[in-house]
């Protein structure tokens, strides 16, 4: 396919549009929680032309590259994503990059699909752009018109009651013990940092669906990298604040998050907590370790000397927490593309630790397989562009004869001076919005 067409129309809410077909296998949405340069565009797609699910015996990154195919041009005045591949990379895909013998769950390492048709939602201009790709101009315009027709589908109202009751949290004492073990291993010189998570699990109420959680989170605590993916018998709902990797025009960016404080109950308390985070030597050191790790990961595929850190230790505020965020940039070397970049940096350094490989070994000894948690939902355009999130603030759903089971996790970066109780409380602050959306009712 070498032609692309766009059809523009007036604004519609992307969550409402997605609701009409959210139950279809391979329905996907990337929904930004607000405007600004990092949150201008949201995307919704369905009915891909072909799919790929990683299976033993084949390198999934090669399968992804084949699915993406050769580079094709895009329109200069169009959205960043103008058709291509989108999907899920689970945490255990990292076992392909560095073979560690990680255990698996029922989740595939990689599940992706090629979408020649999508809707792009421009938050800045208040418009919707239907994008279609085809072998010629007429075919591309027909594809764009097909996407435009999705706006005529009747939206489905999300459930208004309690979505899940009696979610079970993993043992808090066991988590604090795991943190203490990691601190001891750090002090012994084995690693510098590891991200250790705990879980909350249960079942959705009868009649509730994963998309109900996605819609509720969008209304209660919108996030810049919120995303939804429905697979056959599986679903992922993410309310992530964190970008993993972005590539456009040969330039790449990653924005690791390390360092957290809860939001305050008053404006004064909130400002005080943000100042504490900004001034915290522990949190700054934790963040800097991951910045150095990500610099090394990007350097594998970037022009030597091009990797930079234009922003270090910025405080960004979200619905439940303040985070310390840094930005690392680089320029892709000749012959390197989005798939090479994913392979070089996966899994995200902010949710593994440093050194990455040894931290992953420590995590594997203390946690069950993570599945989608701490993986990535991503899109990769046929023109070489890429954007992807770190799957934190994320719930994974598995369908069976009785409905949907759900698991969500939250973790903390453990360093030499970590306090086990404080790290446990940090996980509870991070999971709070998800639990409120699952166990409460719609506002």
């Amino acid at each position: 396919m070498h032609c692309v067409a766009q059809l523009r129309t007036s604004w519609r809410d992307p969550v409402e549009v997605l609701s009409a077909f959210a139950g279809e296998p391979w329905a996907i949405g990337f929904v930004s929680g607000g405007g600004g340069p990092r949150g201008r565009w949201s995307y919704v797609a369905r009915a891909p032309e072909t799919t790929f699910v990683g299976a033993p015996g084949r390198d999934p990154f090669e399968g992804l590259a084949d699915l993406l195919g050769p580079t094709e041009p895009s329109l200069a005045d169009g959205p960043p994503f103008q058709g291509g591949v989108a999907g899920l990379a689970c945490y255990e895909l990292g076992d392909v990059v560095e073979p560690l013998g990680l255990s698996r769950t029922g989740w595939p390492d990689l599940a992706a699909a090629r979408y020649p048709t999508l809707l792009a939602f421009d938050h800045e201009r208040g418009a919707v752009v239907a994008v279609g790709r085809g072998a010629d101009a007429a075919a591309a315009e027909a594809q764009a018109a097909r996407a435009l027709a999705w706006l005529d589908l009747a939206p489905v109202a999300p459930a208004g009651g309690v979505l899940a009751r009696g979610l079970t949290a993993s043992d808090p004492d066991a988590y604090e013990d795991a943190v203490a073990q990691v601190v001891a291993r750090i002090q012994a010189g084995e690693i510098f940092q590891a991200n250790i998570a705990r879980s909350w699990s249960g079942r959705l109420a009868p009649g509730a669906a994963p998309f109900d959680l996605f819609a509720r989170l969008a209304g209660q605590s919108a996030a810049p990298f919120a995303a939804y993916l429905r697979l056959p018998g599986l679903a992922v709902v993410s309310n992530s604040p964190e970008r993993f990797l972005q590539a456009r025009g040969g330039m790449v960016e990653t924005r690791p998050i390390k360092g957290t404080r809860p939001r305050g109950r008053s404006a004064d308390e909130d400002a005080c907590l943000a100042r504490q985070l900004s001034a915290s030597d522990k949190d700054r050191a934790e963040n800097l370790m991951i910045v150095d790790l990500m610099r090394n990961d990007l350097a594998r595929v970037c022009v030597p000397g091009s990797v930079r850190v234009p922003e270090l230790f910025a405080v960004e505020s979200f619905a439940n927490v303040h985070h310390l965020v840094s930005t690392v940039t680089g320029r892709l070397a000749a012959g390197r593309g989005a798939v090479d970049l994913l392979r070089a940096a996966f899994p995200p350094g902010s949710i593994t630790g440093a050194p990455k490989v040894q931290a992953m070994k420590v995590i594997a000894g203390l946690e069950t397989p993570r599945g989608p948690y701490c993986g990535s939902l991503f899109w990769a355009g046929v023109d070489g562009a890429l954007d992807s999130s770190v799957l934190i603030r994320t719930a994974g759903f598995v369908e069976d004869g009785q409905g949907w089971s759900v698991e969500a996790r939250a973790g903390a970066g453990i360093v030499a001076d970590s306090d086990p109780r404080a790290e446990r409380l940090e996980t509870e602050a991070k999971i709070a919005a998800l639990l409120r959306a699952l166990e409460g009712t719609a506002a």
Side-chain angles (χ1 to χ4, degrees), residues 29-398:
F30 300 91
V31 179
S32 171
R38 297 191 179 107
R40 177 178 173 180
W41 293 96
S42 294
Y43 304 97
V44 165
R46 65 191 285 230
E49 60 183 354
T50 186
T51 63
F52 172 80
V53 178
R58 184 183 183 192
D59 184 331
F61 289 102
E62 292 180 359
L64 179 61
D66 289 345
L67 186 68
L68 187 57
T71 302
E72 299 178 11
S74 286
L75 300 175
D77 63 344
F81 185 33
Q82 297 183 37
V85 169
L88 167 69
C90 284
Y91 174 82
E92 281 73 30
L93 179 63
D95 199 33
V96 175
V97 180
E98 287 284 351
L100 301 174
L102 299 181
S103 298
R104 299 298 202 274
T105 64
W107 290 87
D109 286 353
L110 180 71
R114 185 178 172 102
Y115 298 89
T117 308
L118 59 90
L119 291 173
F121 299 79
D122 188 342
H123 294 262
E124 183 177 292
R125 296 185 178 178
V128 179
V129 182
V131 179
R133 305 192 76 92
D136 53 39
E141 189 149 335
Q143 289 279 44
R146 184 166 69 91
L148 201 64
W150 301 346
L151 298 174
D152 297 328
L153 298 174
V156 176
V162 174
L163 300 181
R165 296 185 188 277
L167 294 175
T168 301
S170 58
D171 183 2
D173 293 333
Y175 181 78
E176 291 189 20
D177 180 65
V179 172
Q181 290 182 51
V182 174
V183 169
R185 295 170 80 163
I186 292 170
Q187 292 174 345
E190 180 182 350
I191 55 174
F192 301 113
Q193 179 181 167
N195 188 288
I196 304 300
R198 55 192 296 237
S199 67
W200 286 258
S201 59
R203 299 193 66 84
L204 290 187
F211 184 77
D212 296 325
L213 174 62
F214 183 72
R216 187 170 295 182
L217 287 167
Q220 292 182 354
S221 55
F225 296 98
Y228 170 87
L229 174 63
R230 178 73 152 84
L231 297 172
L234 302 168
V236 180
V237 169
S238 181
N239 204 42
S240 176
E242 184 171 359
R243 168 171 282 149
F244 176 29
L245 298 165
Q246 182 191 55
R248 196 173 188 194
M251 299 304 297
V252 302
E253 176 187 276
T254 183
R255 303 191 72 247
I257 287 175
K258 272 295 163 198
T260 305
R261 290 291 186 279
R263 297 300 301 266
R265 290 167 291 186
S266 67
D268 287 345
E269 183 186 29
D270 194 56
C272 180
L273 288 165
R275 287 193 299 270
Q276 287 178 10
L277 176 60
S278 181
S280 167
D281 289 339
K282 171 188 175 294
D283 289 290
R284 291 164 75 94
E286 185 181 335
N287 189 287
L288 186 59
M289 287 181 204
I290 303 306
V291 167
D292 284 342
L293 188 157
M294 295 307 299
R295 288 174 63 241
N296 290 334
D297 282 352
L298 294 193
R300 296 176 183 177
V301 291
C302 285
V303 174
S306 71
V307 178
R308 298 281 188 269
V309 184
E311 187 177 45
L312 193 62
F313 309 145
V315 175
E316 295 190 4
S317 301
F318 301 91
N320 278 350
V321 293
H322 301 288
H323 278 313
L324 211 57
V325 186
S326 295
T327 302
V328 185
T329 62
R331 181 160 51 90
L332 282 175
R336 298 289 194 170
V339 177
D340 301 302
L341 180 60
L342 279 171
R343 185 193 288 270
F346 200 87
S350 64
I351 47 70
T352 51
K356 182 189 276 190
V357 172
Q358 189 59 32
M360 290 177 67
K361 292 178 181 178
V362 171
I363 291 166
L366 294 171
E367 294 185 32
T368 57
R370 287 176 163 181
Y373 175 70
C374 290
S376 180
L377 277 167
F378 66 93
W379 61 256
V382 293
D383 59 354
L386 168 76
D387 210 352
S388 58
S389 66
V390 179
L391 287 181
I392 54 176
R393 318 294 192 271
T394 295
F397 297 84
V398 178

